[in-house]
């Protein structure tokens, strides 16, 4: 039997949510930012919140206002976000209503919430993956409940979100690894104006049957008592049995989809009347009355809730707006790796190839940090990466730390958001740059925005290794360059080493950086097999060597100060430039950027100002590339010092690198093309 105090608590909060919805509706000019309310969904949301412990994690979706009230957030706190005020504890006025994120005492942790329907399922499943790992290694970072309870993760979403493809990647991973995650699907039959009948042949409960090992239950989410009892059973089960569970909760939708997309636009009277039958509010009232709670007490609670909401709304309206000067804060979390340190060229050091530099860096990282894990396609035992870039790591560190994943780039990238929130430090790999696109959404939607929109609470510490680049007839889908596309994302860092020493030093810095870092690793440089790339082999830096992101390097200096130019480049471009420079002794200075973001603008601009002539060289197709953008910035900043227009050389503007090696060659820059471009510059 459910205790009457719990029913009364639910009643108070349900009345509060109802009052909030009514208040927002009657103050539409003030509540000008788009928002959704939980009307109709209150019972299942409160029932869920009441089961959770501070050691747990929950990812609410934008309709989970009542869930947040159930966790103990006050209407005032929620309203500060509604009105995008400075004191909004979640996002400082940067995010919509009911997009919380929270890390603090007394409540479950909530990672950054995007508005993209269904996309939170991967990061949230990543939390469960992180908790499972911490449990496996018996880590002190695993927070438990007051009597030693293990944490669970709740991922809440609407029924229409289930049809997103990424949801299936997360489900697959959760059942494969038996993760302690509860998928709470609130089924109101609508996805804005798209009805369930139009969108799918099965509900989430039936869909879950396709994922053996996923426990599942269908409940009436409008009935508080049923919801409470079911959620209590489910949460206890997952706490104990460490296995995924899907709860399909049927609920009515009683308010507008959002304040902007209004119910009268697309819902019939009959549909609204049908939904009203299941209003959880009168149902709970009836239950309380039959439990002997007097009508008068219920009315009094209702009135108190309304008064509290009115008073807190006034207070929120009066609260200050954010200071515009803070708008640039928290794009990244600060890194403590700012200086090049350690022995880059230790005495008696041996020369190594670039792929081994990456491998050795990761080996040393994993030896030092028990929270470091590595996963991706084929990186685990047996192969150790299609380039053997992770060879022997699974054997050395175990399958729980280095393992294969299915072909699911979205999961590989997106899960790191959840992993990182638990304190695990994931290094993941996308097999080829050409296949980063399925994971691109997670990178843009979830990872890149998390630090900024959580005002620094949830930076995502992850390294994403991406073999990249063209050589030797790799063909159209194994030769692509992706840096311009990546660099269009704000909130991630991108490194692009061109030799073994830089690879090792940058990998260490990337790992220690609290933000997402993409390591672009040129396949043509991995083994120095391409003629002219022998210098990509270097002495192996010592274990203590670290090279901060954002420091370029002078690869070759020009001695002829009167008629010289600089080549600003990276990756394979360094070697094309070096071989062209052999024909013009003393006249070419070569800068290897090493990191594309953050960019060492100081060294670039100083060099251009010193020499007056500049070529920006890239392997990417040239039009609208990073190289062109950089050339534009150089032209503007160094205008008075330039003796010639800034030249740019990249690949031809074709959609893909063709496979035939002669065609490939025709598309890519090479020594001859670079030499011609340099000579043109020097002739000015
Ligand atoms: C990836 C993505 N596509 C489209 C949208 C626009 N959108 C916002 S809510 C919504 C419907 C979601 O329905 P459901 O998940 O059932 O939740 P409900 O609003 O019914 O509670 C859509 C299509 C979005 N936010 N994200």
């Amino acid at each position: 039997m459910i205790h009457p105090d719990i029913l009364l608590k639910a009643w108070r909060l349900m009345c509060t949510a109802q009052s909030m919805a009514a208040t927002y509706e009657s103050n539409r000019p003030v509540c000008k930012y788009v928002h959704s309310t939980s009307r109709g969904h209150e019972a299942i949301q409160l029932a869920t919140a009441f089961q959770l412990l501070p050691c747990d994690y929950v990812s609410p979706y934008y309709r989970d206002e009542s869930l947040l009230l159930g966790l103990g957030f006050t209407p005032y706190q929620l309203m500060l976000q509604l009105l995008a005020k400075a004191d909004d504890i979640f996002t400082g006025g940067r995010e919509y209503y009911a997009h919380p994120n929270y890390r603090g005492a007394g409540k479950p942790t909530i990672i950054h919430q995007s508005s993209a329907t269904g996309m939170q399922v991967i990061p949230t499943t990543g939390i469960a993956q992180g908790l499972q790992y911490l449990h496996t290694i018996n880590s002190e970072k695993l927070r438990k409940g007051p009597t030693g309870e293990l944490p669970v993760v709740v991922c809440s979403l609407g029924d229409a979100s289930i049809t997103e493809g990424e949801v299936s990647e997360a489900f697959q991973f959760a059942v494969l690894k038996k993760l302690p995650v509860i998928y709470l699907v609130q089924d109101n039959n609508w996805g804005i104006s798209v009805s369930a009948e139009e969108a799918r042949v099965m509900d989430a409960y039936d869909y879950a049957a396709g994922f053996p090992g996923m426990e599942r239950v269908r409940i009436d989410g409008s009935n508080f008592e049923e919801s409470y009892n079911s959620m209590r059973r489910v949460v206890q089960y997952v706490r104990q049995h460490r296995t995924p569970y899907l709860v399909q909760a049927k609920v009515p939708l009683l308010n507008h989809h959002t304040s902007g997309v209004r119910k009268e636009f697309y819902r019939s009277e009959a549909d609204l009347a049908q939904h009203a039958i299941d209003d959880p509010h009168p149902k709970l009232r009836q239950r309380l009355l039959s439990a002997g709670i007097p009508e008068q007490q219920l009315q009094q609670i209702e009135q108190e809730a309304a008064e509290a909401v009115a008073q807190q709304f006034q207070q929120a309206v009066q609260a200050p707006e954010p200071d515009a000067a803070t708008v640039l804060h928290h794009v990244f979390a600060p890194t403590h790796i700012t200086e090049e340190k350690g022995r880059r060229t230790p005495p008696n050091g041996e020369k190594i190839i670039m792929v081994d530099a990456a491998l050795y860096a990761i080996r040393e990282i994993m030896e030092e940090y028990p929270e470091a894990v590595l996963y991706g396609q084929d990186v685990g035992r047996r192969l150790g990466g299609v380039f053997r870039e992770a060879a022997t790591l699974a054997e050395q560190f175990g399958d729980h730390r280095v393992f294969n994943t299915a072909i699911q780039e979205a999961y590989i990238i997106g899960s790191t958001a959840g992993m990182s929130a638990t304190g695990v430090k994931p290094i993941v790999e996308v097999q080829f740059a050409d296949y980063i696109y399925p994971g691109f959404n997670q990178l843009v939607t979830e990872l890149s925005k998390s630090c900024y929109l959580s005002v620094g609470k949830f930076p995502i510490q992850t390294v994403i290794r991406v073999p990249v680049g063209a050589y030797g007839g790799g063909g159209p889908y194994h030769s692509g360059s992706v840096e311009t596309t990546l660099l269009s994302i704000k909130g991630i860092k991108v490194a692009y080493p061109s030799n073994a020493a830089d690879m090792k030093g940058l990998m260490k810095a990337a790992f220690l950086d609290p933000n997402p870092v993409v390591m672009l690793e040129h396949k043509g440089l991995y083994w120095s097999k391409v003629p002219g790339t022998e210098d990509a082999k270097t002495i192996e830096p010592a274990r203590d060597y670290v090279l901060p992101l954002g420091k370029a390097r002078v690869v070759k200096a020009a001695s002829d100060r009167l008629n010289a130019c600089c080549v600003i480049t990276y990756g394979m471009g360094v070697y094309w430039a070096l071989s062209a420079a052999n024909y013009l002794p003393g006249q070419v200075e070569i800068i290897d950027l090493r990191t594309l973001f953050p960019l060492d603008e100081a060294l670039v601009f100083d060099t251009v100002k010193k020499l007056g002539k500049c070529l920006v060289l890239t392997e990417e197709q040239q039009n609208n590339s990073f190289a062109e953008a950089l050339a534009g910035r150089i032209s503007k900043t160094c205008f008075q010092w330039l003796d010639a227009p800034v030249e740019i050389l990249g690949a031809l503007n074709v959609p893909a690198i063709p496979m035939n090696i002669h065609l490939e060659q025709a598309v890519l820059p090479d020594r001859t093309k670079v030499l011609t471009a340099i000579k043109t510059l020097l002739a000015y």
Side-chain angles (χ1 to χ4, degrees):
M1 262 299 276
I2 191 164
H3 196 282
D5 283 355
I6 293 172
L7 293 175
L8 280 170
K9 183 176 169 192
W11 175 249
R12 183 177 293 277
L13 292 175
M14 237 184 235
C15 292
T16 303
Q18 190 174 40
S19 237
M20 287 160 76
T23 304
Y24 303 164
E25 193 58 16
S26 53
N27 289 277
R28 285 182 67 197
V30 180
C31 304
K32 54 182 184 273
Y33 302 109
V34 70
H35 55 269
S36 301
T37 73
S38 56
R39 282 292 290 122
H41 294 226
E42 300 96 321
I44 181 63
Q45 293 182 10
L46 292 169
T48 303
F50 289 174
Q51 314 306 326
L52 298 180
L53 299 172
C55 62
D56 293 329
Y57 287 74
V58 55
S59 292
Y61 83 116
Y62 54 80
R63 202 173 293 294
D64 273 326
E65 169 197 61
S66 288
L67 193 148
L68 296 172
L69 290 172
L71 292 177
F73 293 106
T74 63
Y76 175 66
Q77 286 172 320
L78 303 190
M79 290 167 183
L80 287 174
Q81 189 173 45
L82 174 89
L83 302 170
K85 296 294 184 132
D87 297 337
D88 156 27
I89 59 163
F90 305 126
T91 66
R94 292 176 175 186
E95 262 273 31
Y96 312 96
Y97 186 57
H99 282 60
N101 57 74
Y102 182 80
R103 196 198 278 282
K107 292 187 179 60
T109 302
I110 305 174
I111 64 170
H112 152 71
Q113 301 299 299
S114 84
S115 310
T117 48
M119 305 308 162
Q120 82 275 30
V121 180
I122 286 179
T124 305
T125 304
I127 299 174
Q129 186 189 342
L131 295 178
Q132 186 188 58
Y133 177 69
L134 294 177
H135 192 201
T136 306
I137 64 166
N138 216 358
S139 169
E140 283 179 2
K141 288 189 173 177
L142 185 73
R143 289 180 310 148
K144 295 186 181 164
T147 52
E149 294 94 337
L150 287 171
V152 298
V153 182
V154 173
C155 178
S156 172
L157 63 166
D159 55 297
S161 310
I162 292 290
T163 47
E164 285 282 5
E166 290 189 6
V167 173
S168 74
E169 289 193 23
F171 282 8
Q172 183 76 249
F173 197 90
V175 291
L176 183 72
K177 303 284 179 182
K178 299 192 174 23
L179 300 181
V181 55
I182 297 158
Y183 300 107
L184 169 61
V185 182
Q186 301 179 42
D187 184 357
N188 60 28
N189 213 55
W190 287 107
I192 309 188
S193 74
V194 180
S195 68
E197 296 69 34
E198 272 176 300
R200 56 180 200 240
V201 293
M202 67 190 113
D203 68 8
Y205 178 87
D206 285 335
Y207 188 56
F211 297 88
M214 179 90 78
E215 302 290 335
R216 57 197 175 123
V217 62
R218 252 197 200 110
I219 62 174
D220 176 358
S222 69
N223 179 323
F224 176 75
E225 192 168 15
E226 180 183 332
S227 298
Y228 184 89
N229 290 332
S230 302
M231 287 313 295
R232 191 176 52 184
R233 264 194 308 275
V234 169
V235 170
Q236 275 174 359
Y237 187 88
V238 175
R239 239 186 244 302
Q240 223 176 340
H241 296 275
R242 320 306 289 163
T243 192
Y245 216 122
L246 184 135
V247 178
Q248 155 88 21
K250 194 81 196 125
V251 286
L253 182 63
L254 300 178
N255 206 352
H256 308 290
H257 168 68
T258 62
S259 51
V261 182
R262 307 188 63 78
K263 54 188 175 186
E264 55 276 11
F265 294 170
Y266 64 95
R267 291 179 68 185
S268 66
E269 287 296 326
D271 175 66
L272 289 167
Q274 187 60 39
H275 278 243
I277 294 170
D278 278 323
D279 188 339
H281 198 91
K283 282 189 183 180
L284 182 58
R285 169 188 282 271
Q286 205 45 52
R287 173 69 184 80
L288 281 158
L289 290 174
S290 62
I293 309 290
E295 169 71 31
Q296 202 191 358
Q297 189 180 348
L298 297 183
Q299 279 179 13
Q300 192 188 337
I301 291 173
E302 200 162 10
Q303 199 184 331
E304 283 168 5
E307 282 166 10
V309 166
Q311 183 266 325
Q312 292 182 50
F313 183 69
Q314 282 318 315
Q315 201 187 340
V317 170
Q318 303 305 323
E321 298 290 326
D323 177 356
T326 63
V327 76
L328 286 174
H329 293 181
H330 304 296
V331 176
F332 290 105
T335 175
H336 65 275
I337 305 297
T338 52
E339 298 287 325
E340 187 171 2
K341 277 193 191 139
R343 289 154 298 162
R344 182 176 169 99
T345 319
N348 308 325
E350 294 203 0
K351 267 201 166 186
I352 54 168
I353 50 176
M354 205 171 86
V355 70
D356 285 347
L359 176 67
Y360 301 162
I362 292 189
R363 177 181 296 158
E364 290 174 4
I365 287 167
M366 297 194 81
E367 281 168 354
E368 198 170 338
Y369 297 92
E371 312 84 37
V373 296
L374 171 71
Y375 55 98
Q377 291 149 34
D378 298 294
V379 301
R381 200 181 284 275
R382 275 183 232 113
L383 189 55
V386 290
F387 305 103
R388 314 306 311 279
E389 71 284 6
T392 68
L393 293 176
E395 286 79 359
Q396 183 177 348
F397 297 104
D399 298 331
H400 63 302
R401 294 188 69 190
V402 181
F403 54 90
N404 290 331
T405 63
I407 309 171
Q408 38 185 217
E409 289 78 8
Y411 189 83
I412 291 168
I413 292 180
S415 57
T416 64
M419 293 280 275
S420 166
T422 66
V424 178
K425 298 174 186 224
I427 304 169
V428 295
E429 183 181 301
V430 170
Q431 201 159 61
F432 292 91
D434 306 77
Y435 305 128
I436 198 169
Y437 299 103
F440 214 75
N441 171 50
Q442 285 289 326
L443 198 53
V444 177
T445 306
E446 306 293 342
L447 271 65
S448 73
K449 296 174 175 53
S450 181
C451 184
Y452 187 69
L453 293 179
S454 67
V455 281
K457 291 193 287 300
F458 290 98
I460 291 163
Q461 177 165 31
T462 179
V463 179
I464 302 169
R465 298 185 62 186
V466 185
V468 68
Y471 81 102
Y477 289 94
H478 295 82
S479 308
S481 289
V482 292
E483 55 269 29
T484 293
T485 318
L486 286 169
L487 291 163
S488 70
I489 308 172
K490 312 305 168 214
I492 64 168
K493 300 184 182 182
V494 181
Y496 201 146
S498 72
N499 61 63
D502 289 348
M503 170 68 91
K504 194 168 178 202
L506 286 170
M507 189 72 85
K508 295 275 177 84
F511 177 77
L512 295 170
D513 200 295
N515 304 287
V517 183
V518 178
M519 289 290 295
L520 294 175
E521 305 179 13
H522 201 296
K523 309 187 303 280
L525 300 177
Y526 261 166
W527 304 277
S528 288
K529 266 193 203 156
V530 177
T533 63
E534 292 74 18
D535 286 351
K537 283 193 220 163
T538 68
I539 299 285
E540 183 187 359
R543 181 179 280 265
D544 62 0
Y545 178 65
V546 62
L547 173 62
L549 300 169
K551 299 264 190 245
R553 180 171 83 102
V554 182
V555 176
K556 190 181 188 72
S559 51
D560 178 352
R561 293 288 292 267
L562 291 179
N563 193 16
C565 70
C566 62
V567 180
I568 311 293
T569 189
Y570 56 96
M572 192 60 92
V574 172
Y575 299 95
W576 293 323
L578 275 169
S579 88
N582 285 337
Y583 292 81
L584 299 162
Q587 286 189 288
V588 182
E589 186 146 322
I590 301 168
I591 303 292
D592 178 359
L593 293 172
R594 306 198 286 195
T595 306
L596 307 186
F597 191 89
L599 188 71
D600 192 346
E601 290 190 340
L603 183 62
V604 171
F605 295 155
D606 285 352
T607 310
V608 176
K609 287 176 185 173
K610 182 176 74 180
L611 298 173
K613 295 175 181 176
C614 169
L615 166 68
V616 183
L617 171 62
T618 176
E619 176 177 330
E620 274 195 302
Q621 287 92 324
Q622 189 176 314
N623 271 7
N624 302 320
S625 61
F626 157 70
E628 283 199 344
L630 177 58
R633 246 180 298 158
I634 293 172
S635 299
K636 183 165 190 290
T637 311
C638 306
F639 185 68
Q640 304 155 57
W641 289 268
L642 285 172
D643 299 322
V646 177
E647 280 288 326
I648 307 154
L649 179 62
L652 301 182
N653 295 305
V654 291
I657 308 294
M659 186 143 85
N660 175 283
I661 49 172
H662 304 293
L663 297 178
E664 178 192 81
Q665 226 168 16
V667 166
L668 294 176
D670 58 14
R671 180 186 61 206
T672 315
K673 293 180 196 175
V674 175
L675 194 55
T676 308
I678 293 175
K679 283 182 176 166
T680 311
L681 260 184
L682 292 176
Y684 269 93

